[in-house]
Amino acid sequence: SDWQIQPMGFDGVEDKALRKHLEEHFSEPIRLKLSSRKGKHGLKAIGTLENSGKRLRAYWRQGAGPSSASSRLTTSDMLKVPYDQAVRSTLPTLEFELQLPPVKKFSKKLPTVVCTVAVEQGAINKKAMVP
């Protein structure tokens, strides 16, 4: 199945070179083609930049959902935490990890971006978009 990650901003990244590198790769939608093959960091996926066709190494895995005791919130805590944290504690999540090319030409360090998506149980409309 395919998933798509929409462009996002990286204003919170202080390193200017890294921020520019991230913005270059996330300036257009990224289509993820999921695979059931195991990889080092989860199940493999292929990320493809929508307009340029450039490919990125990617992984996907089921994240901690409501079954995880560490992520469960009590009713009173639910009112005190941010919305995103409350949703993550009640719904199962999928994590998409994208590894970008190195910022510096001969570096072995690969910048990695992890996107977490809460998934409502039930039928999934393939044409629906998750914001």
Side-chain angles (χ1 to χ4, degrees), residues 35-80:
S35 167
S36 59
R37 291 181 30 217
K38 272 241 185 239
K40 185 176 179 183
H41 305 286
L43 296 172
K44 289 187 176 189
I46 297 170
T48 308
L49 298 178
E50 194 89 345
N51 300 331
S52 66
K54 187 172 185 176
R55 298 175 103 192
L56 301 173
R57 184 183 309 166
Y59 301 95
W60 68 283
R61 60 190 160 268
Q62 186 173 354
S67 60
S68 171
S70 63
S71 66
R72 272 192 229 144
L73 294 174
T74 63
T75 307
S76 59
D77 290 340
M78 191 74 79
L79 298 173
K80 298 175 187 172

Side-chain angles (χ1 to χ4, degrees), residues 2-118:
D2 290 359
W3 287 71
Q4 188 176 53
I5 297 176
Q6 294 299 312
M8 60 182 92
F10 293 94
D11 297 334
V13 178
E14 294 178 15
D15 183 340
K16 289 181 183 180
L18 178 59
R19 184 180 333 123
K20 183 180 177 198
H21 187 68
L22 292 169
E23 287 171 348
E24 283 174 10
H25 287 87
F26 285 89
S27 63
E28 56 187 280
I30 300 172
R31 180 166 302 283
L32 290 170
K33 191 161 199 70
L34 307 184
S35 167
S36 59
R37 291 181 30 217
K38 272 241 185 239
K40 185 176 179 183
H41 305 286
L43 296 172
K44 289 187 176 189
I46 297 170
T48 308
L49 298 178
E50 194 89 345
N51 300 331
S52 66
K54 187 172 185 176
R55 298 175 103 192
L56 301 173
R57 184 183 309 166
Y59 301 95
W60 68 283
R61 60 190 160 268
Q62 186 173 354
S67 60
S68 171
S70 63
S71 66
R72 272 192 229 144
L73 294 174
T74 63
T75 307
S76 59
D77 290 340
M78 191 74 79
L79 298 173
K80 298 175 187 172
V81 298
Y83 175 78
D84 289 346
Q85 187 178 350
V87 169
R88 271 190 240 118
S89 73
T90 58
L91 295 175
T93 59
L94 286 177
E95 290 182 348
F96 300 106
E97 179 179 325
L98 291 140
Q99 292 182 343
L100 305 179
V103 177
K104 295 179 182 163
K105 200 166 193 164
F106 297 105
S107 174
K108 291 187 179 185
K109 294 181 182 178
L110 302 177
T112 302
V113 176
V114 178
C115 303
T116 304
V117 179

